[in-house]
């Protein structure tokens, strides 16, 4: 079952209702959902029962395990200001250069400690995120990059990425990053409608965002991505159409090569949590999603994972880099290790998070330890779940047969049974020859609602318990 004209709102609404009539639990629950980036979910892991800093032996045995390569994430919890839609309480928005220096020093120490302990790991990818790394003063950004080179070398692939808030972008910082080997930048634009941009970005002019793409290109970035949100407070169909038009303009001007369009996820700490009427309905957000997909298909772009849109040029480069590095950047294939406060890591047989509080993180690193605050090992059943949910979130296909071979049918078949349900509902399709599963257009609209169905029963029970606590605590909640 495949429906092609989901850009028609009436058709989309009928299709959603058809699915919900059969499986009501696929309806969004705004007060009881999380943006499921990882498995087990970070919100579940950051609990007292998992509080632990692993030994070097445990890190080697369970986190690195059979992995021979690693992708490294570096977190910078600093911003010029907190955007209206942002609820990350741990971000530092004051210009505190002393704290920033303290933090960069801790990152240097943590990098050295990790690299000296695990020198044989091949480096596959860097991602500098936050917050925004470009919130650092020039001299501290330079200091971090030099420490990165000393410990891990230059970026091994042009797909290594640095995030930036447009207002923090200037030619000197961009030049420093390009000279350090970075060729891909991810700009947190979120909307290109002038009124919406001003409303969510402290009355900034949307030209700031457009100028940041021009500056990035002129400085030497070869691949420029912008993040765009659907479902933001104040969004209307007309404003969304305007944003899509401006995205098309940037593409025609060859200023951007990829776009990630993702829905706003409400949180007890946000301004809209207690008043859902201030944000668009799920139907409106889903329609925005469908219109985006329709536009990118018309442009000949590829959707490599739900809502990750890539130009043909970008796709060719990604394929080239995969062939060059011979590293598959999927969960279960490489170690994903995070440096800095609030980072989440995914190992071979373990998953762990760092201290959220920046001072606690720095203090622990200064004591000669990695910044890990919570840790757990995972079973083969959980590993299969982790890899399959990663594919559903990020990859164009879910590799079912390879997971069955790697973890055993007894651990993977739980998911194949669920996938049969998705196929019957028109949300997915399988390729028997390749042993893969892929989402249909309807599946891509509902894939984040589908993910919790794949949680193992014990993890699902714990997840909903934590989400209930999160809901009860409201604005006092301090966690993922």
């Amino acid at each position: 079952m495949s429906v092609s004209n989901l850009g028609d709102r009436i058709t989309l609404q009928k299709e959603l209702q058809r699915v919900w009539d059969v499986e009501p639990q696929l309806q969004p629950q705004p007060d009881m959902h999380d943006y499921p980036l990882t498995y087990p979910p970070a919100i579940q892991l950051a609990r007292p029962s998992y509080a632990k800093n692993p030994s070097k032996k445990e890190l080697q045995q369970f986190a690195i395990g059979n992995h021979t390569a690693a992708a490294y994430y570096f977190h910078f919890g600093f911003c010029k200001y907190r955007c209206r839609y942002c609820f990350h309480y741990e971000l530092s928005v004051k210009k505190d250069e002393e704290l920033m220096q303290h933090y960069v020093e801790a990152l240097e120490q943590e990098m050295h400690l990790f690299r000296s302990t695990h020198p044989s790991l091949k480096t596959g990818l860097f991602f500098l995120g936050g917050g925004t790394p470009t919130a650092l003063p020039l001299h501290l950004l330079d200091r971090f990059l030099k420490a990165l080179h000393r410990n891990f070398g230059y970026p091994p692939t042009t797909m290594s990425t640095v995030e930036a808030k447009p207002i923090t972008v200037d030619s000197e910082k961009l030049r420093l990053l390009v000279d350090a080997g970075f060729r891909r930048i991810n700009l947190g634009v979120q909307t290109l409608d002038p009124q919406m941009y001003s409303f969510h970005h402290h009355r900034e002019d949307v030209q700031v965002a457009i100028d940041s793409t021009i500056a990035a290109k002129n400085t030497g970035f070869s691949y420029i991505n912008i993040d765009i949100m659907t479902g933001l407070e104040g969004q209307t169909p007309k404003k969304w159409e305007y944003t899509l038009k401006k995205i098309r303009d940037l593409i025609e001007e060859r200023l951007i090569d990829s776009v990630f369009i993702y829905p706003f996820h409400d949180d007890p700490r946000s301004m809209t949590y207690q008043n859902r009427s201030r944000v668009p309905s799920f139907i409106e957000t889903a329609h925005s999603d469908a219109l985006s997909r329709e536009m990118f298909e018309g442009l000949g772009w590829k959707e490599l994972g739900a809502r990750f849109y890539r130009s043909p040029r970008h796709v060719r480069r990604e394929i080239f880099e995969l062939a060059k590095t011979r590293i598959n950047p999927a969960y279960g294939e490489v170690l994903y290790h995070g440096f800095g406060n609030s980072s989440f890591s995914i190992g071979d047989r373990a998953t762990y998070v760092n201290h959220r509080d920046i001072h606690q993180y720095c203090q622990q690193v200064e004591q000669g330890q990695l910044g890990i605050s919570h840790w757990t090992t995972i079973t083969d059943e959980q590993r299969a779940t982790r890899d399959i949910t990663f594919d559903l979130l990020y990859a164009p296909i879910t590799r079912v047969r390879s997971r069955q071979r790697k973890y055993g049918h007894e651990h993977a078949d739980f998911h194949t049974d669920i996938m049969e349900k998705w196929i019957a509902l028109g949300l997915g399709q399988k390729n028997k020859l390749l042993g893969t599963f892929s989402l249909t257009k309807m599946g891509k609209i509902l894939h984040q609602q589908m993910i919790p169905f794949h949680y193992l029963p014990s993890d699902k029970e714990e997840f909903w318990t934590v989400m209930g606590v999160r809901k009860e605590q409201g604005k006092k909640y301090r966690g993922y």
Side-chain angles (χ1 to χ4, degrees), residues 18-39:
R18 175 188 64 78
V19 172
W20 292 338
D21 286 344
V22 178
E23 186 45 83
Q25 290 184 57
L26 281 173
Q27 294 184 70
Q29 301 179 58
D31 59 348
M32 288 290 284
H33 71 185
D34 183 38
Y35 187 22
L37 295 170
T38 55
Y39 188 85

Side-chain angles (χ1 to χ4, degrees), residues 54 109 115 120 135-136 183 206 218 256 299 311 326 351 359 455:
Q109 289 178 265
R115 190 58 171 171
S120 62
L136 292 177
R183 293 294 180 272
V206 71
N218 290 343
I256 58 175
L299 291 169
S311 69
R326 297 183 180 180
T351 185
H359 300 286
Y455 289 0

Side-chain angles (χ1 to χ4, degrees), residues 158-169:
T158 53
M159 291 297 105
S160 290
T161 301
V162 58
E163 284 189 332
K165 193 185 194 104
I167 192 64
T168 66
V169 165

Side-chain angles (χ1 to χ4, degrees), residues 45-157:
L45 181 58
R47 303 183 72 193
S49 56
Y50 296 110
K52 176 177 178 169
N53 189 305
S55 67
K56 292 179 181 179
K57 182 179 178 181
E58 287 173 315
L59 197 71
Q60 178 65 52
Q61 182 179 355
F62 298 109
I64 296 176
N66 293 322
H67 292 325
T68 58
Y72 298 116
Y73 170 78
F74 299 87
H75 184 76
F76 297 85
F78 304 100
C79 263
K80 186 177 178 67
Y81 57 76
R82 196 183 309 277
C83 299
R84 186 175 177 84
Y85 50 78
C86 178
F87 43 76
H88 292 288
Y89 71 91
E90 77 281 7
L91 282 177
S92 176
V93 294
K94 294 181 180 178
K95 191 172 181 180
D96 187 340
E97 193 165 321
E98 184 178 346
L99 176 61
M100 290 178 173
Q101 180 168 329
H102 192 193
Y103 185 71
V104 170
E105 288 170 354
L107 282 176
E108 288 183 80
Q109 289 178 265
E110 193 178 26
M111 278 190 276
H112 176 72
L113 177 61
F114 184 89
R115 190 58 171 171
S116 61
T117 310
H118 311 288
S120 62
L121 270 178
K122 184 178 180 182
T123 302
L125 186 76
F126 296 143
F127 194 100
L128 315 185
T132 179
T134 46
L136 292 177
L138 187 67
H139 72 98
L140 288 179
L141 181 60
D142 182 46
R143 179 171 176 172
F144 164 77
L145 292 169
K146 286 175 178 174
L148 179 67
H149 294 159
R150 281 197 309 273
N151 288 285
F152 298 108
Y154 279 71
T157 163

Side-chain angles (χ1 to χ4, degrees), residues 96-259:
D96 187 340
E97 193 165 321
E98 184 178 346
L99 176 61
M100 290 178 173
Q101 180 168 329
H102 192 193
Y103 185 71
V104 170
E105 288 170 354
L107 282 176
E108 288 183 80
Q109 289 178 265
E110 193 178 26
M111 278 190 276
H112 176 72
L113 177 61
F114 184 89
R115 190 58 171 171
S116 61
T117 310
H118 311 288
S120 62
L121 270 178
K122 184 178 180 182
T123 302
L125 186 76
F126 296 143
F127 194 100
L128 315 185
T132 179
T134 46
L136 292 177
L138 187 67
H139 72 98
L140 288 179
L141 181 60
D142 182 46
R143 179 171 176 172
F144 164 77
L145 292 169
K146 286 175 178 174
L148 179 67
H149 294 159
R150 281 197 309 273
N151 288 285
F152 298 108
Y154 279 71
T157 163
T158 53
M159 291 297 105
S160 290
T161 301
V162 58
E163 284 189 332
K165 193 185 194 104
I167 192 64
T168 66
V169 165
D170 65 48
S171 58
E172 285 185 297
K173 291 178 183 177
L174 291 174
R175 172 54 57 194
L176 196 63
L177 288 161
V178 169
D179 289 345
F182 286 90
R183 293 294 180 272
R184 187 173 187 272
I185 191 168
N186 181 29
L187 297 164
V189 172
Q190 316 312 349
T191 178
L192 285 166
D193 176 83
Q195 289 181 325
M196 288 274 291
Y197 193 89
S198 176
F199 179 68
H200 286 284
H201 295 95
H202 288 222
R203 300 182 181 177
E204 266 178 34
D205 193 303
V206 71
Q207 192 62 40
V208 170
I210 296 168
D211 288 347
S212 69
T213 66
I214 297 170
K217 182 175 182 179
N218 290 343
T219 310
F221 279 95
S222 306
Y223 299 92
I224 301 170
N225 177 84
I226 59 171
D227 282 350
I228 297 289
M229 272 190 186
T230 59
L232 279 176
E233 182 182 1
Q235 181 185 307
T236 64
K238 187 174 181 180
K239 291 179 185 298
W240 184 251
E241 287 175 13
Y242 185 87
T243 286
L244 291 183
K245 177 184 177 300
K246 297 306 291 183
I247 291 173
R248 183 186 285 269
D249 290 345
L250 291 174
I251 291 170
E252 290 176 353
E253 293 168 21
R254 298 184 179 181
L255 290 173
I256 58 175
D257 305 89
S258 61
V259 181

